[in-house]
Amino acid sequence: MKLNYGNKIYKIIFIGLLIAALVVASGCANKSSSDKDQNGSASAKASGVSGADKATESGAFTLTDGFGREVTIPENVERVVCSGAGCLRYLVYLQAQGDVVGVDSLEKKENKNEGRPYVYANPQLKNYPLIGEARGNDDPEKIIEVNPQVILKASMIGQAAAPTATEADTLQDKTGIPVVAFPYGSLNNETQKAEVYSSLRIMGKAVGKQERADEVISYINATMQDLENRTADIPESERKTAYIGGVGMAGAHGIIATEPAYSPFLWVNAKNVAAGMGTEHADIAKEALVDWDPEYIFIDVGTLQLGNEGAIGELKNDTSLAGLSAVTNKKVYGVIPYNFYSTNYESVLADAYFIGKVLYPDRFEDIDPEAKADEIYTFFVGKPVFSDLNGNYSNMCFKQILQ
């Protein structure tokens, strides 16, 4: 009996130890699973942490955006969305388009005439999820769905700082995601050029592309300097008079649409007959164009989107313009459209070399405008896309139009 009683005791002890071991093992497994979920590697749900959470996990830093707002963002940003006209273009310039997780409605649209070089170089961009409508009309819920760590937001050229900063604050409040905002700027004057450079550096800091931002700025400066050096010593009396017509702005326009501060004319020391009408896009009277009677007329071929050849058709068919010296002397040329969802600076620079070659061929004898355009496009957007762009505008870029 004692032996049997002892055996029972041993069995009870053994079963107790076995149960305890199973409990401990189960607890460890549950903890491992929990830890896995917290690190975002166990399930899709676990990976859906907010931008704010990611900032906390990976470390964060604070930067001052283009409107003086202090914004705290993650140290290593890998997921972004771009809001506002031209914002995605800047991201492509910085070679950070791989960070995009969503785009606005215009980026997804198939345009019959496409004037954005970065789209030709990056056709994949249109396939990303929708985050809202064009020109910064964002949908906070859709942005939250694609889960960016940072929202990059560009203002329209010339847009006042206060309302843009307010829009950025509102979007940040609605999404809980940091919004880094900045002015788009332009190359038409020193103030707006400084905005371009500052904005590129701010975006570069946000996405870890500071070195590339400096490269882009240096390239723009060197290119403008090269253009200016070629023509700087031409006497005032020998500088050619010129007019740029059909310039797009929030859509296509006709012959009266111009740029009084058209950068390519400034860089090659041409006399812009519309200068003095301010620094922004302007519509002139046809009578003024007749009075100015420029030696050369350049047409932004984006005007073709109007139908009936736009500004080109006007020069061919409007009898009031038939007596223009540029028309009678066949000195009318097509240039690449550059205002398409804000300014494509690479096209502005390419246009300047073509215009310089037309006006002062001896100063640009080493330049093949099409090859130069592809060199510029390759630097900015990664591919030589001149032929793609030109083909979309009936091959009228860098061409004598009226023959």
Side-chain angles (χ1 to χ4, degrees):
M1 292 294 295
K2 284 184 180 181
L3 183 59
N4 290 337
Y5 177 79
N7 286 340
K8 288 181 180 180
I9 292 294
Y10 292 144
K11 287 179 180 179
I12 291 170
I13 293 171
F14 176 77
I15 291 169
L17 290 172
L18 182 60
I19 291 171
L22 289 172
V23 169
V24 170
S26 175
C28 290
N30 288 339
K31 184 177 186 303
S32 175
S33 176
S34 175
D35 288 345
K36 209 173 189 182
D37 283 343
Q38 289 175 8
N39 288 329
S41 57
S43 67
K45 182 179 179 181
S47 67
V49 293
S50 71
D53 290 339
K54 288 178 180 176
T56 302
E57 289 175 6
S58 63
F61 70 97
T62 299
L63 60 75
T64 302
D65 76 4
F67 299 106
R69 299 168 58 252
E70 298 291 322
V71 187
T72 300
I73 67 172
E75 268 185 28
N76 299 305
V77 171
E78 297 177 341
R79 296 174 59 84
V80 303
V81 294
C82 288
S83 166
C87 186
L88 185 53
R89 178 182 299 111
Y90 275 10
L91 199 70
V92 173
Y93 287 177
L94 296 182
Q95 300 175 340
Q97 61 268 35
D99 294 345
V100 174
V101 294
V103 297
D104 70 27
S105 60
L106 194 138
E107 303 293 356
K108 295 182 71 66
K109 182 180 177 182
E110 292 283 353
N111 294 297
K112 181 180 178 181
N113 297 108
E114 178 58 71
R116 295 169 296 162
Y118 71 89
V119 170
Y120 292 104
N122 295 278
Q124 78 281 1
L125 292 172
K126 69 171 68 71
N127 299 323
Y128 283 96
L130 181 70
I131 61 163
E133 297 305 306
R135 305 189 186 284
N137 295 306
D138 310 296
D139 185 328
E141 291 185 3
K142 284 185 170 59
I143 290 177
I144 291 170
E145 286 175 7
V146 300
N147 192 31
Q149 294 164 285
V150 173
I151 301 167
L152 301 167
K153 189 172 183 63
S155 70
M156 296 290 288
I157 296 173
Q159 185 175 346
T164 308
T166 300
E167 289 172 10
D169 287 336
T170 300
L171 184 59
Q172 185 166 291
D173 290 342
K174 288 182 177 179
T175 60
I177 298 166
V179 176
V180 176
F182 42 83
Y184 193 76
S186 83
L187 299 180
N188 288 348
N189 58 62
E190 290 302 318
T191 298
Q192 292 185 345
K193 185 170 70 174
E195 289 179 343
V196 173
Y197 293 172
S198 173
S199 296
L200 285 169
R201 288 190 172 105
I202 288 167
M203 181 184 276
K205 187 173 183 180
V207 299
K209 292 286 187 176
Q210 298 98 314
E211 185 175 337
R212 173 62 181 175
D214 287 336
E215 288 176 0
V216 172
I217 292 166
S218 295
Y219 187 93
I220 293 172
N221 280 333
T223 304
M224 290 190 301
Q225 192 62 57
D226 176 55
L227 288 162
E228 292 170 355
N229 288 345
R230 290 170 180 267
T231 58
D233 63 344
I234 295 177
E236 184 76 19
S237 61
E238 296 178 18
R239 294 181 179 181
K240 308 298 185 181
T241 59
Y243 174 79
I244 175 72
V247 179
M249 177 61 73
H253 292 264
I255 190 66
I256 66 171
T258 192
E259 291 279 349
Y262 186 50
S263 297
F265 287 169
L266 294 173
W267 297 332
V268 301
N269 289 291
K271 292 181 180 179
N272 187 343
V273 294
M277 298 185 65
T279 59
E280 307 300 331
H281 186 89
D283 286 342
I284 65 164
K286 285 185 180 179
E287 293 79 8
L289 180 56
V290 173
D291 288 341
W292 294 331
D293 195 22
E295 298 171 82
Y296 294 82
I297 293 177
F298 295 90
I299 301 296
D300 182 319
V301 300
T303 191
L304 293 173
Q305 298 173 79
L306 287 178
N308 299 318
E309 295 189 289
I312 299 169
E314 292 179 78
L315 289 177
K316 289 179 178 179
N317 304 314
D318 190 329
T319 56
S320 69
L321 302 175
L324 287 168
S325 296
V327 173
T328 58
N329 295 327
K330 312 299 184 187
K331 293 183 177 180
V332 180
Y333 300 85
V335 292
I336 304 167
Y338 69 94
N339 277 338
F340 199 117
Y341 209 35
S342 207
T343 303
N344 296 278
Y345 297 121
E346 63 277 31
S347 291
V348 176
L349 295 169
D351 281 341
Y353 278 98
F354 172 70
I355 291 169
K357 180 87 171 184
V358 169
L359 300 181
Y360 310 111
D362 59 319
R363 303 300 180 100
F364 289 83
E365 60 183 359
D366 61 318
I367 295 296
D368 175 337
E370 293 187 13
K372 189 64 177 180
D374 273 336
E375 174 193 309
I376 293 169
Y377 287 136
T378 299
F379 175 81
F380 279 96
V381 302
K383 291 182 181 178
V385 298
F386 175 79
S387 62
D388 296 316
L389 198 158
N390 192 27
N392 214 357
Y393 289 93
S394 304
N395 294 310
M396 286 193 173
C397 302
F398 295 179
K399 178 182 176 181
Q400 187 177 5
I401 291 175
L402 301 183
Q403 299 180 6

